[in-house]
Amino acid sequence: MNAAVQFVHEQLTAKKTYPKFKAGDNVTVNYKIIEGGKERIQGFRGDVLKIQGTGATATFTVRKISDGVGVERVFPFFSPNVESVQLNKVGKVRRAKLFYLRERSGKSARIKEKRM
């Protein structure tokens, strides 16, 4: 019974393919914004703080600095409003959740780029 429910659930949720990214990576999330009757796509570029959840409820949090103020946004992986995710930089971090970046500003809030 459980396998049947899971099968139907997988059929209903359209699989989106994103590049493999993890916490510490710099990504641009292009998402749809509906203003009145018009629809447009806006980019949100920042560092991934965390990835959480599995399956249809999985989300990732992106943080950027806008006019000296930290802005965090949570995106569901399978949201119809998330158009695409572009991987800009691969970060070199040693943990899965980067909450320590919230207390930091300026140069100490930077993440080193991983050399390929």
Side-chain angles (χ1 to χ4, degrees), residues 4 10-12 14 18-19 22-23 26 31 35 38 43-44 48 59 62 68 76-77 80 82 88-89 100-101 112 115:
E10 284 172 15
Q11 296 299 317
L12 289 175
Y18 299 129
K22 58 184 187 354
N26 188 284
Y31 61 99
E35 289 175 331
K38 289 193 284 259
F44 189 93
V48 178
T59 61
V62 180
F77 271 99
V82 174
N88 302 320
K89 291 184 194 164
Y100 65 88
L101 289 177
K112 277 188 182 153
R115 293 272 172 220

Side-chain angles (χ1 to χ4, degrees), residues 23-71:
D25 293 353
N26 188 284
V27 295
T28 304
V29 182
N30 296 310
Y31 61 99
K32 286 186 205 143
I33 290 184
I34 294 140
E35 289 175 331
K38 289 193 284 259
E39 192 177 275
R40 66 186 175 86
I41 292 172
Q42 180 171 315
F44 189 93
R45 180 175 179 161
D47 295 319
V48 178
L49 281 195
K50 66 174 176 173
I51 296 174
Q52 73 174 25
T54 55
T57 59
T59 61
F60 59 101
T61 303
V62 180
R63 178 182 176 85
K64 74 172 180 178
I65 305 296
S66 180
D67 293 326
V69 178
V71 180

Side-chain angles (χ1 to χ4, degrees), residues 75-89:
F75 295 100
F77 271 99
F78 299 107
S79 169
N81 293 331
V82 174
E83 189 78 11
S84 65
V85 177
Q86 292 171 318
L87 183 62
N88 302 320
K89 291 184 194 164

Side-chain angles (χ1 to χ4, degrees), residues 10-21:
E10 284 172 15
Q11 296 299 317
L12 289 175
T13 57
K15 286 277 183 279
K16 287 189 177 179
T17 54
Y18 299 129
K20 280 276 182 204
F21 62 91

